[in-house]
Amino acid sequence: MHFYEPRQGHGLPHDPFNAIVGPRPIGWIASRSATGQLNLAPYSFFNAFNYTPPLIGFSSIGFKDTVRNIEQTGEFVWNLATRPLAEQMNQTCAAVPPEVDEFELAGLTAEPSRLVNVPRVAESPVAFECRLSQLLQLKGADGTTVDSWLVLGEVVGVHIAGHLLVDGLYDTAAAQPILRGGGPADYFEIKPENRFKMYRPR
């Protein structure tokens, strides 16, 4: 077993933490600043946290434009990152000035939402319209704050492409979601052949 204490370094060519906790869903987050500037960016620290009300969240390393926009307006939209949209999603990672619209940069369509004043990615088959519920600066075990921010939002509106609903059930694999792996460039795709069923014991 390779053992290390993170505070003292991992002693490996690349930090394995992200690869171990993975693959991870991608938080492809659309936001709008108080002055109306659109932003679209992917976050690999993302997941769902509650059923009722439905809560999702992502963590931003650094107080980036997305976090600032959500703090200002209280709204954002999560868009499903899929294999057909992978290259465009990757383009929205670019470190560009706040005035650059990543929708335009990646050649994506900003489709108006129904309940929030932030557009969704029209090309994405699933989107969640969200309202901010909590914005937290993260802390270490010793109570010291770190330059990372957890954004939690309540899902108030859900868009699902019709072809993904089969007999009323959402077909996860059919959406071709992509997930972030480890290393500088690893991603994974969910495919039907990877599916297996396992029911909870009674």
Side-chain angles (χ1 to χ4, degrees):
M1 297 290 286
H2 177 77
F3 173 81
Y4 68 94
E5 297 180 47
R7 290 179 182 272
Q8 297 178 9
H10 48 74
L12 299 169
H14 194 275
D15 190 339
F17 176 75
N18 289 1
I20 294 168
V21 185
R24 303 180 307 283
I26 297 169
W28 201 12
I29 307 296
S31 63
R32 186 193 296 274
S33 72
T35 58
Q37 179 62 50
L38 293 181
N39 182 274
L40 180 64
Y43 291 85
S44 68
F45 288 133
F46 166 84
N47 222 307
F49 295 100
N50 196 54
Y51 278 123
T52 307
L55 297 174
I56 63 171
F58 70 94
S59 180
S60 172
I61 299 174
F63 199 86
K64 297 178 181 175
D65 295 336
T66 300
V67 180
R68 184 175 298 105
N69 291 349
I70 295 171
E71 182 186 48
Q72 290 174 353
T73 67
E75 299 178 331
F76 65 95
V77 174
W78 170 81
N79 305 274
L80 182 67
T82 64
R83 187 66 185 93
L85 294 172
E87 293 298 330
Q88 288 163 293
M89 181 278 297
N90 194 43
Q91 288 180 44
T92 65
C93 291
V96 294
E99 62 271 16
V100 174
D101 182 340
E102 287 87 355
F103 280 90
E104 293 182 1
L105 181 69
L108 295 164
T109 307
E111 182 74 17
S113 293
R114 294 195 184 188
L115 302 176
V116 301
N117 190 31
V118 177
R120 61 186 176 89
V121 174
E123 292 81 1
S124 176
V126 183
F128 293 163
E129 299 183 23
C130 302
R131 293 200 175 104
L132 176 66
S133 59
Q134 291 175 270
L135 174 57
L136 307 168
Q137 185 172 12
L138 300 183
K139 298 179 179 180
D142 62 359
T144 302
T145 56
V146 296
D147 189 25
S148 291
W149 303 82
L150 176 62
V151 178
L152 294 169
E154 179 178 344
V155 179
V156 297
V158 179
H159 302 260
I160 305 173
H163 74 277
L164 297 180
L165 296 174
V166 181
D167 297 328
L169 298 177
Y170 178 74
D171 189 338
T172 301
Q176 296 179 266
I178 56 173
L179 308 150
R180 186 69 169 94
D186 288 355
Y187 286 82
F188 293 87
E189 177 185 354
I190 292 178
K191 294 184 177 182
E193 56 266 31
N194 300 136
R195 178 189 292 136
F196 68 94
K197 293 184 182 291
M198 186 165 54
Y199 295 97
R200 293 181 181 180
R202 296 191 177 189

